[in-house]
Amino acid sequence: MSDVRHVLVLPDRDAAEEVAEALGERFGVDEEPRLVRDALAGEDDAEGAQWLVVLRDEAERLDPGELNEFVAAWEGWREEP
């Protein structure tokens, strides 16, 4: 097993929560993804923040391209390692 993680970047918390919930339905993800607020340097307000959905994929069964297309529906993207 490897320590593969996918990081999905979303514009706001609502989108991140929706993506985290929908991942289980769309991709059959068993483990709940982690939500992380990522504020840009010097930004304290919500306007300057992005939300990350961190998803473990130790079996490497999730296709990065499919994840990118999936998250694009919420105006997000998959961060390349």
Side-chain angles (χ1 to χ4, degrees), residues 9-69:
V9 183
L10 285 302
D12 57 52
R13 183 181 186 136
D14 290 340
E17 288 174 345
E18 288 177 23
V19 165
E21 185 176 317
L23 279 166
E25 297 170 15
R26 171 69 167 79
F27 294 98
V29 174
D30 296 330
E31 184 178 327
E32 187 171 333
R34 285 186 19 203
L35 299 181
V36 179
R37 181 179 182 266
D38 183 33
L40 301 173
E43 296 288 335
D44 290 330
D45 62 354
E47 293 292 319
Q50 295 175 326
W51 283 82
L52 308 178
V53 176
V54 181
L55 176 65
R56 292 177 58 170
D57 184 21
E58 294 175 347
E60 297 185 49
R61 65 179 188 82
L62 300 173
D63 179 80
E66 286 183 39
L67 283 172
N68 203 33
E69 288 178 22

